[in-house]
């Protein structure tokens, strides 16, 4: 699965104008080329730290956070998907 | 320009096996659906904080960091591209 597929598979069709269904979403991708494959991965450790940064700016219901991590031959990808509450604003 | 284009336009063809040319790259994308368009953007402010998190794990030459920010009608995207030094490891 290529990096390009990530947005496509995780972004449902937008339903603009239907406020009761449309939710504000935040998606964070961290992709690393694994040219030096003997080096340890640090991407999984970034998850909580990136979430902590995001939560400074917007209220995040941790139940709406989904995390994917893929380690492939040539790259690794950490993906965070967050559905923001309707009233999302500074915490 | 769609979100899907971001990886495509910023990722050069990989030159695996040519250590003198191939550089390890790290790419961070933060995408936000702008359903509530009256809310202020906080994505540009994330730049330095995300870089600070990354620099805990790997040495980053700030001269190799490129930042793009796009604010469109339906979404906004913050993109960080980092070329890691050959000896990249914990700082």
């Amino acid at each position: 699965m290529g990096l390009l597929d990530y947005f496509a598979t995780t972004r449902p069709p937008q339903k603009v104008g239907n406020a009761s269904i449309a939710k504000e979403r935040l998606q964070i991708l961290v992709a690393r080329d694994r040219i030096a494959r003997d080096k340890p991965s640090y991407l999984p450790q970034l998850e909580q730290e990136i979430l902590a940064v995001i939560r400074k700016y917007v209220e995040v219901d941790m139940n709406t956070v989904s995390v994917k991590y893929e380690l492939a031959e040539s790259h690794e990808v950490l993906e965070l998907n967050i559905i923001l509450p309707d009233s999302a604003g500074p915490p």
Side-chain angles (χ1 to χ4, degrees), chain A residues 2-20:
Chain A
L3 291 181
L4 284 177
D5 299 316
Y6 273 86
F7 273 118
T9 56
T10 58
R11 291 172 67 85
Q14 285 192 354
K15 294 172 182 170
V16 176
N18 189 336
S20 65

Side-chain angles (χ1 to χ4, degrees), chain A residues 14-79:
Chain A
Q14 285 192 354
K15 294 172 182 170
V16 176
N18 189 336
S20 65
I21 294 178
K23 296 278 185 182
E24 192 128 343
R25 297 171 76 242
L26 199 62
Q27 184 169 41
I28 300 123
L29 288 182
V30 184
R32 176 181 165 229
D33 284 336
R34 295 183 67 233
I35 288 167
R37 287 172 201 158
D38 55 335
K39 289 179 186 162
S41 173
Y42 48 86
L43 261 50
Q45 302 168 54
L46 293 179
E47 176 194 330
Q48 291 301 319
E49 298 206 54
I50 288 177
L51 277 175
V53 168
I54 299 291
R55 294 177 84 179
K56 289 187 194 175
Y57 295 96
V58 69
E59 191 186 331
V60 174
D61 175 357
M62 295 304 284
N63 292 321
T64 71
V65 177
S66 69
V67 180
K68 288 190 213 169
Y69 173 68
E70 181 184 284
L71 180 62
E73 181 70 15
S74 62
H75 64 266
E76 58 177 329
V77 180
L78 172 71
E79 175 185 341

